[in-house]
Amino acid sequence: MSIPFWRNRDRYYRMLGSKCQKCGKEFFPSVLVCRSCHSTDVKDFEMPQSGKLLSYTLQKESISGFEDQEPMVFGLVELDNGVRVVAQIVDTPYEALKMGTKVRTVFRKVRTDGESGQIYYGYKFAPVRVTSH
Ligand SMILES: [Zn+2]
């Protein structure tokens, strides 16, 4: 196994971003140069696994290769460190979502390569279950 393979694998199974060692800003996806202070002293940094939903949308139209997941919900999530990411929202009906819904990172099948049958995994978000009774 080559080192680059494991580095990439890491990025799929943990949300690895970057943290600037100079100004402390955190980024996802990872950056080579800090977008805030332009320092090149940035290190891999794992993103928090929870955040809240800022907005969301229901996608009914097919994206080739994703037909089995229709309809798909996509959301803009603000992680607990303030970093914003767009990702698929799973494990909940669209109607149950609200702005501000607490979500957590889950790692799920993203798609299956039609040619090779290889399955790709990536991060998605699911609502945090709140016990209200
Ligand atoms: Zn910086």
Side-chain angles (χ1 to χ4, degrees), residues 4 9 12 17 19-20 57 59 104 109 119 125 133:
R9 186 179 181 275
Y12 291 124
K19 180 169 186 166
C20 175
T57 179
Q59 180 147 351
R104 67 191 164 81
K109 185 177 106 171
I119 297 170
F125 288 89
H133 20 201

Side-chain angles (χ1 to χ4, degrees), residues 8 14 19 22 26-28 34 44 47-48 50-51 54-55 58 61 66 70 72 86 90 93 102 104-105 125 127:
N8 286 334
R14 300 155 53 200
K19 180 169 186 166
K22 198 174 165 197
E26 296 167 15
F27 301 95
F28 183 85
C34 174
D44 283 352
M47 293 292 113
S50 58
L54 293 185
S55 69
L58 184 66
E61 297 279 308
F66 291 88
E70 285 183 339
M72 296 169 82
V86 173
V90 293
K102 293 275 182 201
R104 67 191 164 81
T105 320
F125 288 89

Side-chain angles (χ1 to χ4, degrees), residues 15 20-21 25-26 28 31 41 45 57 65 67-69 71-73 81 86 90 96 100 116 118 125 132:
M15 282 183 73
C20 175
Q21 303 302 297
K25 269 267 192 187
E26 296 167 15
F28 183 85
V31 297
D41 189 9
F45 185 79
T57 179
E67 291 86 352
D68 60 330
Q69 295 182 41
M72 296 169 82
V73 180
N81 62 353
V86 173
V90 293
S116 68
Q118 183 173 353
F125 288 89
S132 53

